[in-house]
Every structure is written in structure tokens, then in C-alpha cells.
Amino acid sequence: MNLVLPPRLSELLAAEPDPSFVGRLGPVLEGAARAIARLGDLDLVRYEDAPIDESADLSLWEELAPVVGSTIADVNALLTELSTQFPEGEAHFEPKPLAVEATLRQGAQELRSGVMAFGMRVRDPSVVGDRWNLIGELQAFRLRFRDRIGALVFEVASHLGECRRRDVDPGYVEELSAALLVRSTSADLRRLMRARVQQVAEAPQMDVAWHARQIEKELNAFGRTAAWRAFRAQDKRAVLEFRTRVKALETPALEHRELDHAELLALLEPFAAFCDELEAANRREVLVAHDLEVLAALGPTLEQAASAASREQAREALLEALAQAQALYGRSADLDVGLRRLKKTPPTVETVRGDLEQFVVLVSRLSAV
């Protein structure tokens, strides 16, 4: 696996005056980058293709056992590299190497404890005996350790010089892209299901079954989105369970009667509430940091639009701000509505002042949160 460290991380290493220190730290950071890449290089979707209530039988465990083993091995390889380059008992007198080694040792201790905890979890009958618990545990471990190793790289890099995590963490860009994709896609699912609740409640009796079929089609399409791979296993399970139950409404018993509003709403309303809970993804650290950066960049652009000498210049600045704000889609239902409206009907020189005023209000509400 050919690895290239992030440019800022390479710059910090190159600026270090002690070649011996760099010669030992470099392989550790490369090992961290390798572990992050390997822990992210797994698609669990093919293991999900089974009935939602199917247990994790022996065949699934046998199929996943090599993945569990390689997952542990990937983390242990980094720990081995770290102990090789920075063995116990060495004495350091320079402040920077001393601080770096202390950070590495603390990180290594946390990783070892995590590996042991994971090993115990995958021996737990409640995990091994349930397909979704097993997949979820494996997914969560890999994501958690990618994040911890990335944080460790950032902590080390911070001792070397000024940096941002996004500029030195080898997995940051990929993690952020996945988080943004999940957020925007789940926001659309949330909006879609809330609209369906209202449509079903107001639909004529004869149309309720049609809505059930449409919901099934929408969830099938949702399962084919690029974001599906990055969704948490337990969230996928909830989606698949709901889809299966909606499909079950199309039973032979209904051939002689029409599907009732209450039957469909009894499934749809709790699922819509579940979709609302997906908004909790906004509290992920990677998204919080990203959103603060976007909001900070939006401020000057909106000021430029407000102080523009002409309406055409104001329109160009507002269009730039709207493009920047697309990265916040899914953060707020109100902002999402505004972004969709202005995408469907872009600002003109005639409407730019009113559109700008409304958009500034939406952004200010985000900034106040």
C-alpha cells in the first residue's frame, strides 16, 4: 500500500532539525496512516443481505472472523511500530521529543485497551448470536479506532507546529465526506417521510395502499444511495425492518379490503420519528468543526453581498454564499428549505435584496445555536 502523508504533516516532519527523531517518528505516522486506510477499506453491505431477524449463524461468524482478525491485526501493527521506534525506558531531555513520546504512549495505552475490549465484545453471545449486533460492533470498532488514531496523529503534529486536524489527519477528508453525505441524505429521508405522514393522513381510502407501495420504492432507492454504506448498522436495521413491515401490508388478506390509514400510520409515524433522531449526527465532532469553518467563511461573503455597489454584484456574492452553504445541508430544516427554494428559483437582480435578507436570517439562526 503506497501511502502519502498529508502535505502539512510532511512539512512539519521536514522542519524538524533532529534527523534521528524524524527517522523514528516518520514510520510511526506512516503506520498510523496505513492503519486508518486499512480500517476504512471494508464494505459491510454484502453481509447485510439477509432477513432482518436472522441471527448471526455459524456461517456468518466464519465469514466475518477473518475480518475481525485483520481489524485487530491492523491496530496491533501500529502498536508494534510504535513500540519498536519508541521503546520503553528511553530517556529524553528535549521538550518536544519528550512531549511527543508521552502523547504516543497515552494513545497506545488507549488503543491496547480498546483492542482488548473489542476482543471481549466479539466473544459475547449477545453480539455473536445476532447478525446486526455483530456487524454493528465491527463497524463501530473500525470507525472508533480510525478516529482515535487520527486524533493521535493530530496530537503529535500539534507538538511539532501549528496545524489543524483536517490538514494532518490522513483519514479526515474521507471521514468528513462520508459524514456530510450521511447528513444530507438522512435529511432528505426525514423530509420525505414527514411529507408521507401528512399525505397518508389526508389521502382517500383507496390511495393508502398506493402510498405504501411508494414508501417501499423510496426506501429501496434510499438503500442504493452512496450514503447507505456509511450509515450505522443499527440505523440500517431500522430502515430495513420498516421496509419489510410496509411490504407485509401487501398481503393476500388485504385483497378483499382496502388498506386502512391507521394501519399504515401505525408504522409510518414511529419511523418518521426515528428519521428525526438521525439529526443527532450533527453533533459529531467532525461535523461541528466543519460547520464552524463554513459559517466563518460565509460571514465575509454575506457582508460582501450586503455592501455591494450594484444588485448584480450582490447577486454574484449571494450565489457564492449559497454554494458555500450547500455544505451545511441537513444541519437545519429551515436552512434546507431555504437552500432548496433558492436552488429552484435562483436570486435575480430584482429579488436579490429580499433573498439576501431572508438567507442572512437563516444563517444567523445557525450561528446562534
Side-chain angles (χ1 to χ4, degrees), residues 75 79 82-83 105 107-117 145:
V75 179
L79 292 171
L82 197 156
S83 61
R105 293 201 187 286
Q109 182 178 348
E110 293 177 13
L111 291 174
R112 288 191 187 95
S113 297
V115 168
M116 292 178 61
F145 272 72

Side-chain angles (χ1 to χ4, degrees), residues 186-200 211 214-220 222 239 242 246 265 267-276 278:
S186 60
D188 285 335
L189 178 66
R190 202 158 56 237
R191 175 173 58 89
L192 200 59
M193 292 301 106
R194 279 297 167 196
R196 281 291 172 200
V197 169
Q198 183 174 352
Q199 291 164 1
V200 170
H211 280 287
Q214 292 304 114
I215 290 169
E216 186 185 350
K217 290 179 181 178
E218 289 160 354
L219 293 177
N220 286 337
F222 177 68
V239 173
F242 172 67
V246 170
L265 288 174
L267 296 178
L268 180 55
E269 289 178 336
F271 181 70
F274 159 77
C275 292
D276 292 341
L278 294 176

Side-chain angles (χ1 to χ4, degrees), residues 170-196:
Y172 188 93
V173 172
E174 183 182 353
E175 181 186 358
L176 176 59
S177 298
L180 289 172
L181 191 58
V182 167
R183 176 167 73 178
S184 61
T185 305
S186 60
D188 285 335
L189 178 66
R190 202 158 56 237
R191 175 173 58 89
L192 200 59
M193 292 301 106
R194 279 297 167 196
R196 281 291 172 200

Side-chain angles (χ1 to χ4, degrees), residues 61 65 68-69 72 76 113-130 133-134 137-138:
W61 173 245
V68 172
I72 294 174
N76 283 338
S113 297
V115 168
M116 292 178 61
F118 176 65
M120 294 177 63
R121 286 290 293 162
V122 295
R123 294 185 184 92
D124 187 329
S126 67
V127 174
V128 181
D130 183 284
N133 283 348
L134 179 56
E137 194 68 34
L138 181 57

Side-chain angles (χ1 to χ4, degrees), residues 16 82 102 116 219 232 287 332 361:
E16 282 300 305
L82 197 156
M116 292 178 61
L219 293 177
R232 292 192 321 153
L287 286 178
S332 158
V361 170

Side-chain angles (χ1 to χ4, degrees), residues 95-156:
K96 189 179 293 186
L98 195 63
V100 166
E101 183 167 354
T103 297
L104 289 173
R105 293 201 187 286
Q106 176 63 33
Q109 182 178 348
E110 293 177 13
L111 291 174
R112 288 191 187 95
S113 297
V115 168
M116 292 178 61
F118 176 65
M120 294 177 63
R121 286 290 293 162
V122 295
R123 294 185 184 92
D124 187 329
S126 67
V127 174
V128 181
D130 183 284
R131 167 181 293 269
W132 285 98
N133 283 348
L134 179 56
I135 293 173
E137 194 68 34
L138 181 57
Q139 181 193 50
F141 175 87
R142 294 174 75 94
L143 291 174
R144 187 164 60 248
F145 272 72
R146 287 184 84 229
D147 181 68
R148 183 62 192 98
I149 294 170
L152 179 60
V153 172
F154 171 58
E155 291 161 11
V156 168

